[in-house]
């Protein structure tokens, strides 16, 4: 059976983005024209995912509404002849099947994934974090490549990594410990460390919000105790799978498919500017505006 199932955790409180996230999910923040989670779903769909389980939480119901069909809005636009705006809602009818469940206690990412177990059962699945976009306008096939690699190498864990330019950022991410020297973009994983200090970090390769797992992850998650930050960490369960002889594969994100982390203001602002600058209608005008504002001559790099 094709691997066409993804769990998308969207239950986090978004505390690093307060007050913007006080009464709306961070996954619904707009980046350019669309909310973050719409890019995530489009990326998954392009990679062959047909079933998505959102693990939501309190105050996240606007995500459910967003992927539903809004009949009233559709007929209003149709009757007023607003065809262009109507086309923007075409995603409501895409061929993805959505399911929703709730994480009722904030016990961390590992716990959120474990909540998906009764739905996933005994089959491999993708995990895609709902607050990260991969590639400009989500034009990334990294998940498809990860699935291929999962099947080819008979792995238990496939993770994609972003190379951090600034080593001080390791404290914000799960960090890879590769097996031996890395020679290409695909490498074997020895282990991982969740949010290490700069000195402890085994590399500058940061877990970039996309994973493929065999069901072996669930039996480890069930046993995983609270770790970093008092939360049940997905990284800790992955380490246990590897320690017990499971195979782990890392794939480096290509430079032209950057990851946009919408989990803090600094990277959210950057993502918004990048996406707005590439808007087909308003991008050019925004660039002129920014150049003027920053006193950069037109044509200068
Ligand atoms: C989580 C994971 C971390 C990973 C990150 C990717 O951290 O625990 O390993 O690198 O997502 O976005 P969080 O951002 O939820 O603190």
């Amino acid at each position: 059976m094709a691997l066409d199932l993804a769990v998308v955790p969207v239950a986090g409180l978004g505390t690093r983005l307060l007050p913007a996230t006080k009464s709306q999910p961070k996954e619904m923040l707009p980046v350019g024209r669309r909310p973050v989670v719409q890019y995530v779903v489009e990326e998954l769909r392009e990679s062959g995912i047909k079933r998505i389980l959102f693990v939501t939480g309190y105050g996240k119901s606007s995500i459910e509404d967003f992927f539903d069909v809004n009949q009233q809005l559709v007929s209003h636009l149709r009757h007023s002849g607003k065809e262009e705006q109507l086309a923007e809602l075409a995603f409501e009818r895409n061929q993805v099947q959505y399911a929703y469940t709730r994480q009722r206690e904030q016990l961390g990412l590992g716990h959120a994934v474990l909540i998906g177990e009764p739905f996933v059962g005994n089959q491999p699945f993708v995990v895609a974090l709902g607050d990260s976009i991969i590639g400009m306008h989500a034009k990334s096939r990294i998940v498809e490549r990860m699935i291929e690699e999962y099947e080819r190498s008979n792995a238990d864990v496939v993770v994609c990594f972003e190379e951090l330019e600034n080593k001080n950022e390791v404290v914000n991410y799960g960090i890879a410990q590769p097996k031996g020297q890395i020679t290409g973009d695909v490498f074997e994983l020895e282990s991982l460390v969740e949010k290490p200090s700069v000195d402890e970090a085994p590399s500058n390769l940061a877990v970039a919000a996309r994973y493929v797992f065999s069901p072996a992850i669930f039996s480890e998650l069930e046993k995983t105790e609270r770790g970093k930050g008092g939360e049940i960490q997905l990284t800790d369960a992955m380490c246990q799978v590897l320690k017990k002889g499971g195979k782990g594969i890392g794939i480096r994100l290509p430079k032209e498919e950057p990851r946009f982390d919408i989990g803090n203001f600094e990277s959210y602002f950057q993502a918004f500017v990048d996406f707005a600058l590439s808007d087909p209608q308003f991008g050019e005008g925004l660039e002129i505006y920014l150049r003027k504002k920053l006193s950069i001559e037109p044509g200068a790099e």
Side-chain angles (χ1 to χ4, degrees), residues 2-265:
L3 201 167
D4 65 356
L5 170 64
V7 172
V8 178
V10 288
L13 294 175
T15 47
R16 280 175 288 175
L17 290 163
L18 281 169
T21 51
K22 183 172 175 257
S23 58
Q24 69 170 338
K26 66 174 164 178
E27 296 81 8
M28 288 301 291
L29 290 175
V31 177
R33 293 185 181 220
R34 297 172 182 185
V36 181
V37 71
Q38 189 182 359
Y39 292 106
V40 176
V41 166
E42 278 171 18
E43 178 207 326
L44 291 174
R45 194 176 56 100
E46 289 293 319
S47 280
I49 297 298
K50 299 205 163 56
R51 296 175 291 154
I52 294 179
L53 172 70
F54 287 102
V55 181
T56 75
Y58 193 85
K60 300 273 183 170
S61 48
S62 59
I63 297 175
E64 219 167 309
D65 291 342
F66 185 78
F67 290 105
D68 200 356
V69 178
N70 185 338
Q71 250 352 313
Q72 204 189 346
L73 183 58
V74 168
S75 62
H76 168 75
L77 293 175
R78 189 162 288 139
H79 289 122
S80 46
K82 294 189 170 143
E83 292 304 321
E84 226 175 279
Q85 283 93 330
L86 197 56
E88 289 297 337
L89 299 182
F91 76 92
E92 287 180 346
R93 289 162 204 281
N94 71 27
Q95 294 305 304
V96 176
Q97 203 181 21
Y98 302 107
Y100 299 86
T101 188
R102 283 191 178 215
Q103 182 184 24
R104 284 176 286 182
E105 286 172 288
Q106 290 293 321
L107 295 180
L109 178 60
H111 179 251
V113 172
L114 184 58
I115 283 175
E117 186 179 13
F119 178 84
V120 174
N122 194 27
Q123 60 185 314
F125 64 107
V126 167
V127 170
L129 306 190
D131 66 354
S132 284
I133 304 169
I134 312 284
M136 269 314 285
H137 300 287
K139 294 268 176 286
S140 169
R141 290 294 175 87
I142 191 70
V143 169
E144 197 176 322
R145 273 177 271 146
M146 289 168 75
I147 293 173
E148 276 166 20
E149 195 53 44
Y150 174 87
E151 283 161 356
R152 197 189 63 78
S153 59
N154 216 355
D156 287 293
V157 169
V158 180
V159 186
C160 88
F161 292 94
E162 169 194 44
E163 207 158 347
L164 298 175
E165 280 170 21
N166 180 353
K167 184 115 197 227
N168 294 327
E169 287 179 41
V170 293
V171 297
N172 297 322
Y173 300 107
I175 301 296
Q177 184 178 339
K179 215 175 232 178
Q181 281 291 327
I182 301 182
T183 49
D185 286 333
V186 179
F187 54 93
E188 248 194 86
L189 272 176
E190 174 84 50
S191 188
L192 297 126
V193 193
E194 180 67 15
K195 302 191 175 88
S197 67
V198 175
D199 295 338
E200 285 162 352
S203 73
N204 62 345
L205 294 165
V207 174
R210 302 292 181 265
Y211 314 76
V212 182
F213 292 121
S214 79
I217 195 73
F218 289 131
S219 36
E220 291 312 323
L221 279 171
E222 276 161 17
K223 287 177 260 172
T224 303
E225 311 229 327
R226 291 175 189 235
K228 199 109 205 176
E231 298 187 336
I232 296 172
Q233 296 290 350
L234 185 55
T235 301
D236 293 346
M238 289 195 277
C239 285
Q240 283 306 313
V241 172
L242 301 182
K243 213 165 154 188
K244 292 187 176 158
K247 190 167 184 180
I249 299 288
I251 302 190
R252 218 191 313 220
L253 274 176
K255 283 264 177 296
E256 55 296 354
E257 289 174 30
R259 154 231 168 88
F260 298 93
D261 181 1
I262 319 301
N264 63 74
F265 279 118

